[in-house]
Structures are given as C-alpha cells and as structure tokens.
Amino acid sequence: MKNEVQMKGKFHYRLSGWKYNTGIRVVMFLLLGVIFYTALYAKLVPQVFDITLGMKSEKTIYAPEQIENAVATEQAKEDAAKRVQPVYRIVNLKNEVISDAIFDKLSQINADEEVKFDDKVSIYRRVIPQIISDLTNDAIKTLRNSGQYNDLLLEQMQSGLDEQKYPLPEEVYFKLPRLTKEDLAEMRPVTKDIVTKLMNDQILDAQTARAKVAEVVNTSKLAKNTSREMVTEIARALITPNKFFDQKGTDDAKGQARENMKPVYINKNDVLVKAGDVITEEIYTRLEKLKLLKDKANHLPQVGLGILSVLLCFVMFMFVKQSMMELKYNNSQLVMLILIFAMNISGMKIISFLQNVEYPIIGYLAPTALGSILIAILLDAPLAFIASVIFSFIASIIFNTEHDLLFDFRFGLVSLVGCFSAVFTIQRASQRATILKAGLMIAFFSMLTITSMLLLEDHFQQKEVLMSLAFATAGGLATVVFVIGLLPFFEASFGILSPLKLVELSNPNHPLLRKLLTETPGTYHHSVMVGNLSEAAAESIGADGLLCRVGSYYHDIGKTKRPSYFIENQTNIENPHDKIDPNLSKSIIVAHPRDGVEMLKDFKMPKPIRDIAEQHHGTTLLHFFYYKAMKLAQEENSEKGIREEDFRYAGPKAQSKEAAIVGIADSVEAAVRSLRNPTLEQIDSMVTKIIKSRLDDGQFNECDLTLKELDTIAKTLNETLLGIFHSRIEYPSEVTTKKPGA
C-alpha cells in the first residue's frame, strides 16, 4: 500500500489549498467523465451536418463507418448483367420422323392408280405442309408436357418455326406423283440421312443449313435428277431451326449475375462529400442512411453515452472513496490519475486511426497497458486493476470496426489480459528491468489470448495470425518504451515517490549518502540501522517499508552541518556540549531536522523523504538539555524560568505512519546503542518505554497509527534488535546438567 495519510479536518495545514478541496475533487471526477464521453463520442454517436438538398457542402465529409454504395453497386450489377451472353436452348424436334411420314404418304398415294394425277397434285399441295405442321406441333406439345421448357421458350420456338418455314416450290407437287415405288424407296433413306445429319448441328438460321442440302444430295448415290431435286426440296422443308433464344433463361442468368456481384462499399474514412460539392439526391440519401443529417439526427445515443460515462466515472469514484489511498484526499494525485487516463486513451485513439476494414488487427498494437503500469507504480495496484477493466472496456469500443456492434470483445479481452499481466508483474517493482519484464509478459499473454481466439474461430489465415501476433508483440514493447519515458515525468511533476525511485535513492553513491558516510560515519551507521528497524516494523503493519528504509537513510542528513555535536560522531574527542550553554546545545540539536530538509530541497529530493526528515522527531522534548538547564538555573538561583516548550523540536508531528515509525526506530536504535551490554529484558523495556512516552506525549495524534499497530511495531522491533544484538545479549542463567560422557 502506498503512502496512507489520515486526512482529518483538524489538520488544517494539511488540508489547506486546492490539493485537498472537496469541490475541486468533484470537478476532477466530472472531468474524467468528460474524457470518457469525448473518447467514445466518435464511435458511439454519429457526427451530423447541417445540410440541405441542392446546397454546396461547406466541409469535406468522411464516412464514419463502412457503408454500401447503393448507386455504384446497382451500376456494377447492371454492368454484370450486360456482360451476360444470350441463352439459347437446343431442341431436338425429331424431323426425321416427319420425313418417314411424308414418304409413307407418297408411297400410299402414288400406288393408288384410281387417284388421278391432278388429284394427287392437289392432295400433295395440301397434305405435305399439313404433315409437317401437325408433327411439329405434336413435338412442341410433347416438350410442353415434359415440363423441361418454359412456356415463353415454347412460344418463341413456335414463332421461330413459323417464321422460317420453307414453302415447297409449286413444281414439286407436279413431280412427286410421277415418282415410282423404286424411286421413293431409294429417296427415303437419303432424305432421312441428310435431315438427321444437318439437324445435328446447332441451327439458328435454317436458311444457312438449307443451303448445304444441294451439296450433300450431290454426293449421294441417287442417279436420277428428278430424285435428287425432290430429295433436295423435301429435305429443305424438313430443315428447321433447333437453336432458340431463351428469354427467361437469359433473364435468369442476368439475375444470377446481379446476385453474384459483390456490393461496392464506401470504406471508413473515405470521402463522402468534398468541400464545395453540390448535395445531390444520391449524396443526400447516402448521408441520410448514415444518419449524418442534423435535422434527422437521433439524440438517444448521446444520452446513452452520457449515462455510460457517468457509470465509468462512478466506478472510479466509489473505488477511490472506499480505499485508504492518499488519492482519496489528494487532488494532485487525482490530477495525475486523470492525466494517465487521458494519455492512455489518446494512445488508443491514435492507433484506431490506422485501422481499416481489411486490417482491424492493427488495434493490437495499442499500448493499452501503459496506464495500468503507471497507476500500479505511481499510485496503487488495486486501483490499477480497476483501471485495467475500464481501459479494456474502452478499447473494445474504440477498436471496434463492426458498424453493427457496439463492442468488439476481442480487443477488450486482449487488453484486459495484457493489463492484468502487467500489473501482476510490476507490483512491488524494485528495478527498472521489471518494467521490461512487464512488457514481455504483456506481449506473451496477449499473443496467447489472440491464439486461443483464432483457434476457437477456426477460420483464420496464416497471414492474419502472423500479423496479429506481431502487432501484439510490438504493442507490449512499445508499452515498455512509453512507461520508461513517462515515469520520470510523473515522478518529478507530481512529487511521486515510486518504488523504483526509492531504490535509486538508496544507492550509496548518491551524493548525500556519500557525504553522510564520509563526514559523519557514525550517523551513517545509525541511519542504516534505523532503516533496517523501520522497514521491518513498517512491513509488519502493512505500511511502506521501502519508504521507511530509504527515508531513514536521509533522516539525519542535517547532522552533516555540525557532525561533532552528535554523540555517534564523537569518536576520540571531547563532547563539545560539556562546555556550552544547554540552550545553545538545544538550538544546535533541534536544528538538524530543519537543516536536513533544506539540504534535501537543494537536491530536489521527493517530499515524502523530506517529510520523514522533518517529522521524525515530531515535537518531542530534549530531556537531557532541559534538565541540565533547570539544574544550572537552580545552581545560579536564577529567577529566569526554564520553559519546557523551549526545549522541544519544532515539529510538525508525524503526519504518516512511515514518519512515525522512523521516529520510533530512531529513538529505539539510539537508546539501545547506549546500553553497554543490552539484555532481552532491557531491550523490551526500552522499546515499550519509548513508544509509550511518545504516545503519552501526543506524538501520534496526527497520524493513523492504532494501538494494535503500535503493539505490533514493538514486537517487530524487539525481534529485529534481538537479531542485531544477539551476540551481546545476556540470557538468564540456567543450570545445565551434563550427562556422563557428554
């Protein structure tokens, strides 16, 4: 737990100014809500423009999301339909059957000698066209009954056959009756073969096919010219179109081509309207569909976003209110928290601008865990977990590229896992290298989460996997770079003493510690001992042990101004206090906290360190010089009164647990060191006496140490001192009886 300071109304000097003003704190939380609202506005609330039909656009308008370009899509469909070739159907009308029917009629009538020649001519003029027509109609009827052909096609077939019907020349009817039985027998197979052969081709124009008949007949075995002529004409009459235009099939093919045409999209951030363009009906409809028109805007999303922002802000407010962090009262730290939120969300927004529909996975590049790490180091780990949940929730909205969804759980989950892994890694960090470790953990667990989601979806591509993992790795490493770069800024700007900074300040090569060691070695040793004692005591009650240890190293730095006036530095020299007035001695002694603070300020040391140096003595009484002054006054029969207040440290009293603990450890270490051969009972009695004396003197009235914690501190100090002075402790004598042979 970070610095816990009991902020109560009676400590006016701690609660004065804007840093502890309740009204300003409320404004700060409202500002946090405004940040949430502003960050999510573009994603959740469509932008609207004051536009009317026919006007010129005053600004360039970009598509807030991917949308289908209806006009372009329709044009693409029409173009696809135009590219579709006409559909034709090949129909077998079985014209060879008609050939057999005609020759059967010829054989029958020619063989009848009772029928006169003129009657035969008349019959052929009437019957042959009728046979062709009837059998053709029967074939079409059969096709209709089969259900394989639509009515429109059959109608087009009938129309085509009628249009391309071949009329037999008149002289044919006069020559047919003169054909003998032998002639007809010879002509029948030839005619049938010619019709079958030519009808096997796709015939759209019968005239072209009929032109080939004479050539084929000339290659036949028919010897008589009359037979050849009649076969030619009959075959021409039987050659009909067999390839017909299918209007319905063509329309269906065009319809299928339209359906297969993919929609044409206007991608996110594409220009919808350029500045100066006239708003046409098409553009107006498009803007209306995207809900970008001001006069038709829906304000409900704004209300919803406002409620959502308030809820997120309320979560942070309640968590801080229920905690014991200094942030609960310190508006300076609240400003830092809000700044971290603003920077982290800004980073996510910048990465979101690089996203598009084709590569939404760029969102994995965002250093979402940046804010979580900074909060964990600078403020509090539990607060970092709550912030991580909010960051992940916001990431699921900002990186969502699906216009029909409010959240994309993939980015939220990856962000949550990355933030949590970072906070778990960075807790109680004592080295800068821990930040790098946190970045590697972010990258590893983010990649693991992405891999699990891709495997669950089971329709990923290798390129998508590699790019997703690469972006996640880059995001983790980028987080490390930003944290290392921003951490000193926050530490210096807000006076935050992070564990990493404390470890740096504990380096013996620090100029002040080197000065302490070289000029006051006794004080240096004393400070190290106090550091060990105070760290153990602080950790036993959950206070900041590292702050106590480092604060102890610097708490007596003011003694370097007059080192010989402090007993731990009086090696082989006389005590100068023996020869000077106790009031002067008092002035020298009580000045070292003030001198220390001034020296720490000169080196721009963090305020918590300065507070420990200033407050570790509180307003305690210098008993030795007070009683010495009283004794001298009695010996001199001086009428001048000796006031106790004049022999007290200037204070202030300890304002934090850490300052109080360092003060206790300082007194305990000095007192125990003064004992020649301390025993366990003497140490316990000394620790109890010092704590009780400070408690009775009201030195703990302005910090939140409880009696139970004071008892725990006393036990811990006893145990620690036992380990330090174990070689000199005289244990109670015990009678030990040695066994024979032992």
Side-chain angles (χ1 to χ4, degrees), residues 318-522:
M318 291 305 298
F319 182 83
V320 171
K321 182 179 179 181
Q322 299 297 325
S323 71
M324 293 300 294
M325 298 179 293
E326 186 176 354
L327 174 65
K328 180 177 180 180
Y329 305 99
N330 192 333
N331 292 337
S332 176
Q333 292 192 8
L334 183 57
V335 170
M336 181 176 64
L337 176 65
I338 294 173
L339 184 58
I340 291 174
F341 264 91
M343 294 177 64
N344 204 46
I345 294 174
S346 297
M348 289 191 279
K349 292 288 288 184
I350 292 173
I351 297 297
S352 70
F353 293 145
L354 304 177
Q355 277 186 301
N356 53 47
V357 178
E358 295 181 358
Y359 295 101
I361 55 178
I362 293 177
Y364 294 136
L365 182 62
T368 314
L370 168 65
S372 300
I373 296 178
L374 290 175
I375 294 173
I377 294 176
L378 300 174
L379 293 171
D380 188 63
L383 179 62
F385 284 115
I386 298 297
S388 297
V389 174
I390 295 179
F391 289 143
S392 303
F393 177 77
I394 294 175
S396 69
I397 298 176
I398 290 180
F399 297 121
N400 176 32
T401 56
E402 301 292 335
H403 66 275
D404 54 342
L405 297 175
L406 289 178
F407 313 99
D408 191 331
F409 78 94
R410 296 173 299 174
F411 297 102
L413 181 59
V414 172
S415 297
L416 185 65
V417 172
C419 290
F420 272 30
S421 62
V423 176
F424 280 125
T425 306
I426 211 70
Q427 286 190 87
R428 298 184 180 277
S430 58
Q431 296 179 353
R432 300 280 173 180
T434 309
I435 301 178
L436 177 59
K437 180 181 177 182
L440 296 176
M441 297 300 288
I442 294 171
F444 174 75
F445 282 104
S446 296
M447 289 192 295
L448 202 62
T449 306
I450 292 171
T451 302
S452 69
M453 291 191 296
L454 291 175
L455 292 176
L456 288 172
E457 292 179 356
D458 197 25
H459 60 268
F460 54 86
Q461 298 178 353
Q462 183 178 5
K463 181 179 179 182
E464 179 186 5
V465 174
L466 295 178
M467 291 186 66
S468 298
L469 298 181
F471 283 136
T473 303
L477 298 179
T479 301
V480 172
V481 173
F482 286 122
V483 169
I484 294 176
L486 291 172
L487 196 57
F489 163 75
F490 283 104
E491 290 175 340
S493 300
F494 295 92
I496 296 296
L497 195 56
S498 67
L500 301 175
K501 184 67 174 178
L502 284 172
V503 172
E504 291 179 356
L505 293 177
S506 66
N507 190 336
N509 289 322
H510 190 281
L512 285 179
L513 294 184
R514 289 180 62 84
K515 179 181 178 67
L516 189 68
L517 175 62
T518 56
E519 298 181 10
T520 56

Side-chain angles (χ1 to χ4, degrees), residues 22-36:
T22 304
I24 292 179
R25 191 173 307 116
V26 173
V27 173
M28 293 293 180
F29 276 105
L30 292 177
L31 177 60
L32 183 61
V34 171
I35 292 175
F36 292 148

Side-chain angles (χ1 to χ4, degrees), residues 123-223:
I123 291 172
Y124 289 147
R125 186 183 289 114
R126 175 177 52 84
V127 171
I128 291 178
Q130 187 65 42
I131 291 173
I132 295 174
S133 178
D134 290 345
L135 291 180
T136 301
N137 291 336
D138 290 343
I140 293 177
K141 184 177 180 180
T142 302
L143 295 174
R144 179 178 283 110
N145 293 335
S146 69
Q148 298 180 3
Y149 303 91
N150 59 78
D151 292 339
L152 181 59
L153 175 61
L154 294 174
E155 291 176 5
Q156 290 174 336
M157 289 171 57
Q158 185 68 63
S159 175
L161 292 172
D162 292 341
E163 290 176 359
Q164 300 191 48
K165 184 183 294 185
Y166 182 79
L168 288 170
E170 185 65 21
E171 63 268 18
V172 171
Y173 298 118
F174 288 93
K175 293 180 180 180
L176 287 176
R178 294 187 177 95
L179 295 174
T180 65
K181 179 179 180 181
E182 290 75 14
D183 292 336
L184 293 174
E186 188 180 16
M187 292 166 55
R188 178 192 288 260
V190 174
T191 304
K192 187 174 183 178
D193 288 344
I194 292 173
V195 172
T196 302
K197 178 181 178 181
L198 294 178
M199 289 296 291
N200 281 335
D201 296 332
Q202 297 181 12
I203 302 174
L204 182 62
D205 181 11
Q207 188 62 33
T208 304
R210 288 166 184 162
K212 300 177 182 178
V213 174
E215 181 182 352
V216 178
V217 171
N218 289 334
T219 61
S220 68
K221 297 179 180 180
L222 295 174

